[in-house]
Amino acid sequence: MSKQRSDCPISCSLDIFGDKWSLLIIRDVMLRGKCSYSEFLKSEEKIATNILTSRLALLEEAQILSKEVAPENRSKFIYHLTQKGADLLPIIIELMDWGARYNSNCPRRELGKKIKKDKAAVVTEYTQRLKKQVR
């Protein structure tokens, strides 16, 4: 991992996921059930292949994601959140809520409506789901 800019906790966090793609990859694994390179490429934000490769490697190196060979296709990798990655759930939920609240171009879809109604319940629900998936 590259040298940290400072020992400030915010700066240290941004060193891992402060680019415009890493949190979207984490979102896709965490909330949308995506786990393969090809699934990430299909995300609405249209990440470039070289950026995706770089971000997946960074998230794996930072122990946010783990990578393993897919059992059904030995030439394909699948990605899972680690516990360190799953611990980002409340932050992801807060960012979703903040983005929907302050940007009228970001409508609340089904999950966003649940967050608005009862954020704590959503965090609890997804925490339980993630416990079954964490590697």
Side-chain angles (χ1 to χ4, degrees):
M1 194 140 178
S2 61
K3 186 177 184 295
Q4 293 177 322
R5 292 175 287 184
S6 76
D7 61 358
C8 166
I10 292 173
S11 181
C12 292
S13 298
L14 290 174
D15 287 339
I16 297 171
F17 51 77
D19 61 273
K20 69 183 200 177
W21 297 107
S22 295
L23 286 176
L24 295 174
I25 294 167
I26 294 166
R27 171 210 62 192
D28 282 353
V29 176
M30 185 178 284
L31 304 176
R32 298 182 176 177
K34 295 182 181 187
C35 62
S36 71
Y37 186 88
S38 60
E39 289 174 325
F40 299 132
L41 284 177
K42 293 176 186 172
S43 293
E44 62 193 275
E45 292 85 10
K46 306 292 183 205
I47 188 169
T49 57
N50 61 323
I51 302 289
L52 177 58
T53 300
S54 169
R55 295 306 177 259
L56 288 171
L58 175 87
L59 292 170
E60 186 182 5
E61 181 182 347
Q63 299 176 339
I64 302 292
L65 296 178
S66 64
K67 177 174 79 171
E68 63 184 46
V69 175
E72 74 283 351
N73 181 349
R74 308 292 291 158
S75 65
K76 180 179 172 182
F77 291 106
I78 53 175
Y79 295 86
H80 301 280
L81 287 170
T82 62
Q83 186 59 55
K84 185 177 177 181
D87 286 346
L88 290 167
L89 176 67
I91 296 166
I92 297 291
I93 297 296
E94 286 296 337
L95 284 170
M96 288 178 66
D97 188 38
W98 186 89
R101 188 178 320 147
Y102 294 110
N103 188 331
S104 60
N105 295 325
C106 296
R108 289 186 187 265
R109 298 180 187 151
E110 183 181 341
L111 179 57
K113 289 175 184 172
K114 284 179 160 180
I115 291 168
K116 185 176 182 180
K117 183 178 178 185
D118 190 349
K119 190 184 304 181
V122 171
V123 171
T124 300
E125 174 189 341
Y126 275 86
T127 298
Q128 293 304 313
R129 285 185 193 183
L130 291 175
K131 282 182 181 178
K132 299 172 188 170
Q133 300 169 8
V134 167
R135 303 273 159 106

